[in-house]
Amino acid sequence: MATGNLKIQLTDLTGAAVKDIDVELTRVSGELGTGGETAHVSLVGPDSDLTITGIECRGGPGTMYKVVAEAKHYRPYAFFQLIEEDRDNTASDDVEFWVKPGDVRDIRAPAFEDLPVKTRGILEAAQMIALKPEDQDLVGLAGADLYRALGPLRKACFLNLIKKASDQATTGNRLSDIGGPMVCRQDRFFARVGGGLPERLRKSPLFKSAGEALHDPLPGFQMAEGSFKSRDAHANLQITFMREIATGGLAADIDIDESSGIEHGLEVIENAIFRKRTNPYLIREFLLTADPIARSLDPGYQFRF
């Protein structure tokens, strides 16, 4: 029986090797799958490169397989692969595992003192208020104390938003317009913003107008100046403005929206909702996928399982 080999690269979305991987090859039905037999390989790892040898195939045109790679804490990744005899067949797709958000118990984030100066300044300017009981633990905190108290979900969201807002290519680096936060949640934060930001977004080719109907103003504020969303294909930054009635100062509800879904092997991953809110761990994956080469949107934290 003719055989061929398969060379696969397997990583998470940061490019890091993943442990405990199982790969199954199943020949497709019909004529294209002629000559194939199911094969299963396990890799303890972590190792990003795997070569599977001795895969049975049809001589000449080869055999088409469905390849499914699985790893603990990550979503399965599947693709179709033609195996031809007497050669190392390079995988038709690199396997880049997306996390299962529910498996993440914590994150490994940069220490406060290692954050960029502007990011530290945003935290130090915080004036935290409580809209709901979940916000109460942050009231009165700022700087390193606030950063420490955010916990994994809120901290992940904060770092996601800071990275996206500071990205020159997709948002024009709007971080300089963002002031101290007032509310931090796992899917958004409310913060003071510069008075000129609405007009800059209105004139920017990187942003378009967006609906504000799903956004409510903070107490003592009223909706004003509209809402704007970045025009990139995935992980859009949305900034929705509100004006303080007493002072006329501006604040904004800032979040990352992902509505279109993205291809992941043979499936399409949609935005996941956790406790009726966007899950920041999945948003991290959308950010990484938006620039898979340079990983310019990597928010800088890792998952702990």
Side-chain angles (χ1 to χ4, degrees):
M1 175 64 69
T3 62
N5 304 329
L6 176 61
K7 298 177 73 69
I8 316 177
Q9 186 174 63
L10 309 103
T11 66
D12 66 12
L13 288 174
T14 69
V18 174
K19 298 189 298 182
D20 301 325
I21 298 172
D22 289 314
V23 180
E24 184 170 80
L25 294 89
T26 306
R27 70 178 186 85
V28 302
S29 59
E31 190 271 338
L32 289 176
T34 301
E37 289 291 338
T38 296
H40 182 274
V41 174
S42 294
L43 175 67
V44 176
D47 193 341
S48 59
D49 297 301
L50 173 64
T51 299
I52 304 173
T53 61
I55 303 169
E56 294 187 8
C57 62
R58 175 174 45 173
T63 299
M64 184 67 71
Y65 280 89
K66 180 181 180 181
V67 182
V68 179
E70 297 183 288
K72 189 176 181 181
H73 307 306
Y74 295 91
R75 298 177 69 119
Y77 194 102
F79 61 95
F80 291 112
Q81 177 69 44
L82 180 66
I83 299 296
E84 297 181 283
E85 64 178 326
D86 298 330
R87 69 174 63 185
D88 287 335
N89 297 274
T90 300
S92 62
D93 204 355
D94 289 338
V95 174
E96 294 179 316
F97 288 111
W98 283 59
V99 75
K100 291 179 180 177
D103 285 10
V104 179
R105 63 176 180 82
D106 199 357
I107 63 170
R108 185 182 299 109
F112 177 79
E113 56 269 22
D114 294 330
L115 295 173
V117 172
K118 174 57 180 173
T119 304
R120 296 200 306 268
I122 288 173
L123 289 165
E124 288 164 348
Q127 297 176 319
M128 304 303 291
I129 63 174
L131 301 184
K132 297 181 178 181
E134 65 182 288
D135 306 318
Q136 192 63 47
D137 63 324
L138 302 182
V139 172
L141 299 181
D145 291 337
L146 173 59
Y147 185 65
R148 188 181 307 111
L150 287 175
L153 284 165
R154 293 181 297 192
K155 185 177 292 184
C157 175
F158 176 79
L159 293 172
N160 290 346
L161 288 168
I162 290 295
K163 174 55 69 172
K164 182 67 175 183
S166 66
D167 184 55
Q168 184 65 39
T170 60
T171 68
N173 189 356
R174 300 301 168 188
L175 202 59
S176 61
D177 293 299
I178 297 176
M182 293 179 283
V183 176
C184 288
R185 302 260 176 82
Q186 72 171 55
D187 61 339
R188 67 190 63 245
F189 66 69
F190 294 80
R192 301 278 183 178
V193 296
L197 181 56
E199 188 61 22
R200 281 192 278 278
L201 298 187
R202 206 171 278 119
K203 293 179 177 179
S204 172
L206 298 176
F207 282 84
K208 61 182 179 180
S209 296
E212 60 181 37
L214 299 179
H215 300 261
D216 296 318
L218 294 169
F221 285 75
Q222 59 187 11
M223 304 307 291
E225 300 287 357
S227 182
F228 300 88
K229 181 183 293 188
S230 60
R231 292 180 180 270
D232 39 327
H234 299 286
N236 312 99
L237 183 72
Q238 184 164 358
I239 303 177
T240 304
F241 293 102
M242 58 197 72
R243 188 177 301 279
E244 192 168 26
I245 297 170
T247 67
L250 278 183
D253 177 354
I254 305 172
D255 70 297
I256 292 177
D257 178 59
E258 178 57 52
S259 58
S260 59
I262 197 166
E263 291 185 0
H264 177 249
L266 301 181
E267 67 172 338
V268 174
I269 294 181
E270 304 286 352
N271 194 3
I273 303 298
F274 178 64
R275 295 175 184 167
K276 298 183 179 180
R277 293 178 181 166
T278 297
N279 191 300
Y281 305 148
L282 193 58
I283 291 296
R284 188 202 82 150
E285 305 297 69
F286 278 111
L287 288 170
L288 288 166
T289 303
D291 183 10
I293 305 302
R295 298 190 179 94
S296 60
L297 290 171
D298 185 346
Y301 60 86
Q302 293 78 45
F303 298 130
R304 287 177 170 170
F305 302 109

